[in-house]
PDB file of all heavy atoms in Angstrom:
ATOM      1  N   ASN A 831     116.255 119.104  94.053  1.00  0.00           N
ATOM      2  CA  ASN A 831     116.024 120.381  94.669  1.00  0.00           C
ATOM      3  C   ASN A 831     116.313 121.593  93.785  1.00  0.00           C
ATOM      4  O   ASN A 831     116.190 122.736  94.255  1.00  0.00           O
ATOM      5  CB  ASN A 831     116.849 120.516  95.950  1.00  0.00           C
ATOM      6  CG  ASN A 831     116.390 119.466  97.022  1.00  0.00           C
ATOM      7  OD1 ASN A 831     115.197 119.339  97.248  1.00  0.00           O
ATOM      8  ND2 ASN A 831     117.340 118.819  97.641  1.00  0.00           N
ATOM      9  N   ALA A 832     116.705 121.328  92.556  1.00  0.00           N
ATOM     10  CA  ALA A 832     117.021 122.410  91.618  1.00  0.00           C
ATOM     11  C   ALA A 832     115.730 123.205  91.297  1.00  0.00           C
ATOM     12  O   ALA A 832     114.695 122.643  91.147  1.00  0.00           O
ATOM     13  CB  ALA A 832     117.668 121.902  90.342  1.00  0.00           C
ATOM     14  N   PRO A 833     115.824 124.549  91.108  1.00  0.00           N
ATOM     15  CA  PRO A 833     114.634 125.310  90.739  1.00  0.00           C
ATOM     16  C   PRO A 833     113.985 124.797  89.516  1.00  0.00           C
ATOM     17  O   PRO A 833     112.720 124.766  89.443  1.00  0.00           O
ATOM     18  CB  PRO A 833     115.227 126.728  90.554  1.00  0.00           C
ATOM     19  CG  PRO A 833     116.433 126.734  91.415  1.00  0.00           C
ATOM     20  CD  PRO A 833     117.022 125.358  91.358  1.00  0.00           C
ATOM     21  N   ALA A 834     114.725 124.374  88.474  1.00  0.00           N
ATOM     22  CA  ALA A 834     114.104 123.940  87.245  1.00  0.00           C
ATOM     23  C   ALA A 834     113.307 122.643  87.484  1.00  0.00           C
ATOM     24  O   ALA A 834     112.234 122.441  86.880  1.00  0.00           O
ATOM     25  CB  ALA A 834     115.200 123.627  86.186  1.00  0.00           C
ATOM     26  N   THR A 835     113.768 121.760  88.358  1.00  0.00           N
ATOM     27  CA  THR A 835     113.026 120.536  88.689  1.00  0.00           C
ATOM     28  C   THR A 835     111.758 120.875  89.414  1.00  0.00           C
ATOM     29  O   THR A 835     110.678 120.321  89.115  1.00  0.00           O
ATOM     30  CB  THR A 835     113.912 119.637  89.522  1.00  0.00           C
ATOM     31  OG1 THR A 835     115.128 119.327  88.844  1.00  0.00           O
ATOM     32  CG2 THR A 835     113.162 118.290  89.819  1.00  0.00           C
ATOM     33  N   LYS A 836     111.823 121.773  90.339  1.00  0.00           N
ATOM     34  CA  LYS A 836     110.622 122.175  91.087  1.00  0.00           C
ATOM     35  C   LYS A 836     109.574 122.800  90.183  1.00  0.00           C
ATOM     36  O   LYS A 836     108.371 122.548  90.310  1.00  0.00           O
ATOM     37  CB  LYS A 836     111.009 123.134  92.252  1.00  0.00           C
ATOM     38  CG  LYS A 836     111.828 122.494  93.330  1.00  0.00           C
ATOM     39  CD  LYS A 836     112.182 123.500  94.435  1.00  0.00           C
ATOM     40  CE  LYS A 836     112.988 122.842  95.515  1.00  0.00           C
ATOM     41  NZ  LYS A 836     113.337 123.763  96.611  1.00  0.00           N
ATOM     42  N   GLU A 837     110.046 123.593  89.215  1.00  0.00           N
ATOM     43  CA  GLU A 837     109.110 124.205  88.307  1.00  0.00           C
ATOM     44  C   GLU A 837     108.429 123.152  87.419  1.00  0.00           C
ATOM     45  O   GLU A 837     107.237 123.233  87.137  1.00  0.00           O
ATOM     46  CB  GLU A 837     109.844 125.220  87.377  1.00  0.00           C
ATOM     47  CG  GLU A 837     110.301 126.483  88.152  1.00  0.00           C
ATOM     48  CD  GLU A 837     111.121 127.413  87.273  1.00  0.00           C
ATOM     49  OE1 GLU A 837     111.205 127.082  86.048  1.00  0.00           O
ATOM     50  OE2 GLU A 837     111.654 128.379  87.761  1.00  0.00           O
ATOM     51  N   TRP A 838     109.217 122.155  87.017  1.00  0.00           N
ATOM     52  CA  TRP A 838     108.672 121.061  86.212  1.00  0.00           C
ATOM     53  C   TRP A 838     107.614 120.298  86.951  1.00  0.00           C
ATOM     54  O   TRP A 838     106.544 119.972  86.442  1.00  0.00           O
ATOM     55  CB  TRP A 838     109.830 120.113  85.769  1.00  0.00           C
ATOM     56  CG  TRP A 838     109.408 118.990  84.895  1.00  0.00           C
ATOM     57  CD1 TRP A 838     109.353 119.000  83.536  1.00  0.00           C
ATOM     58  CD2 TRP A 838     109.059 117.694  85.298  1.00  0.00           C
ATOM     59  NE1 TRP A 838     108.918 117.734  83.091  1.00  0.00           N
ATOM     60  CE2 TRP A 838     108.736 116.914  84.156  1.00  0.00           C
ATOM     61  CE3 TRP A 838     108.948 117.070  86.554  1.00  0.00           C
ATOM     62  CZ2 TRP A 838     108.405 115.586  84.215  1.00  0.00           C
ATOM     63  CZ3 TRP A 838     108.600 115.686  86.623  1.00  0.00           C
ATOM     64  CH2 TRP A 838     108.310 114.993  85.445  1.00  0.00           C
ATOM     65  N   ILE A 839     107.885 119.973  88.252  1.00  0.00           N
ATOM     66  CA  ILE A 839     106.953 119.245  89.047  1.00  0.00           C
ATOM     67  C   ILE A 839     105.631 120.068  89.200  1.00  0.00           C
ATOM     68  O   ILE A 839     104.519 119.546  89.115  1.00  0.00           O
ATOM     69  CB  ILE A 839     107.522 118.939  90.460  1.00  0.00           C
ATOM     70  CG1 ILE A 839     108.676 117.930  90.281  1.00  0.00           C
ATOM     71  CG2 ILE A 839     106.460 118.441  91.409  1.00  0.00           C
ATOM     72  CD1 ILE A 839     109.463 117.754  91.537  1.00  0.00           C
ATOM     73  N   GLU A 840     105.764 121.363  89.483  1.00  0.00           N
ATOM     74  CA  GLU A 840     104.600 122.214  89.636  1.00  0.00           C
ATOM     75  C   GLU A 840     103.737 122.209  88.381  1.00  0.00           C
ATOM     76  O   GLU A 840     102.516 122.191  88.444  1.00  0.00           O
ATOM     77  CB  GLU A 840     104.994 123.629  90.024  1.00  0.00           C
ATOM     78  CG  GLU A 840     105.594 123.706  91.455  1.00  0.00           C
ATOM     79  CD  GLU A 840     106.188 125.090  91.748  1.00  0.00           C
ATOM     80  OE1 GLU A 840     106.148 125.938  90.832  1.00  0.00           O
ATOM     81  OE2 GLU A 840     106.682 125.271  92.891  1.00  0.00           O
ATOM     82  N   ALA A 841     104.412 122.265  87.220  1.00  0.00           N
ATOM     83  CA  ALA A 841     103.654 122.309  85.968  1.00  0.00           C
ATOM     84  C   ALA A 841     102.936 121.009  85.693  1.00  0.00           C
ATOM     85  O   ALA A 841     101.820 120.963  85.204  1.00  0.00           O
ATOM     86  CB  ALA A 841     104.626 122.635  84.788  1.00  0.00           C
ATOM     87  N   GLN A 842     103.596 119.902  86.003  1.00  0.00           N
ATOM     88  CA  GLN A 842     102.945 118.563  85.879  1.00  0.00           C
ATOM     89  C   GLN A 842     101.748 118.442  86.823  1.00  0.00           C
ATOM     90  O   GLN A 842     100.672 117.970  86.452  1.00  0.00           O
ATOM     91  CB  GLN A 842     103.938 117.476  86.175  1.00  0.00           C
ATOM     92  CG  GLN A 842     105.139 117.377  85.132  1.00  0.00           C
ATOM     93  CD  GLN A 842     104.662 116.821  83.814  1.00  0.00           C
ATOM     94  OE1 GLN A 842     103.707 116.051  83.690  1.00  0.00           O
ATOM     95  NE2 GLN A 842     105.381 117.243  82.753  1.00  0.00           N
ATOM     96  N   ASN A 843     101.914 118.872  88.044  1.00  0.00           N
ATOM     97  CA  ASN A 843     100.804 118.807  89.069  1.00  0.00           C
ATOM     98  C   ASN A 843      99.635 119.704  88.634  1.00  0.00           C
ATOM     99  O   ASN A 843      98.479 119.304  88.816  1.00  0.00           O
ATOM    100  CB  ASN A 843     101.334 119.207  90.397  1.00  0.00           C
ATOM    101  CG  ASN A 843     102.102 118.152  91.115  1.00  0.00           C
ATOM    102  OD1 ASN A 843     102.014 117.001  90.745  1.00  0.00           O
ATOM    103  ND2 ASN A 843     102.877 118.535  92.107  1.00  0.00           N
ATOM    104  N   ALA A 844      99.937 120.788  87.986  1.00  0.00           N
ATOM    105  CA  ALA A 844      98.825 121.682  87.539  1.00  0.00           C
ATOM    106  C   ALA A 844      97.933 120.956  86.522  1.00  0.00           C
ATOM    107  O   ALA A 844      96.714 121.072  86.544  1.00  0.00           O
ATOM    108  CB  ALA A 844      99.424 122.931  86.951  1.00  0.00           C
ATOM    109  N   VAL A 845      98.543 120.206  85.596  1.00  0.00           N
ATOM    110  CA  VAL A 845      97.776 119.460  84.647  1.00  0.00           C
ATOM    111  C   VAL A 845      96.947 118.353  85.310  1.00  0.00           C
ATOM    112  O   VAL A 845      95.741 118.222  85.029  1.00  0.00           O
ATOM    113  CB  VAL A 845      98.737 118.811  83.605  1.00  0.00           C
ATOM    114  CG1 VAL A 845      97.939 117.870  82.679  1.00  0.00           C
ATOM    115  CG2 VAL A 845      99.420 119.868  82.792  1.00  0.00           C
TER     116      VAL A 845
END
Side-chain angles (χ1 to χ4, degrees):
N831 294 316
T835 303
K836 293 180 178 180
E837 291 176 7
W838 182 87
I839 292 171
E840 291 172 359
Q842 294 288 334
N843 283 341
V845 173

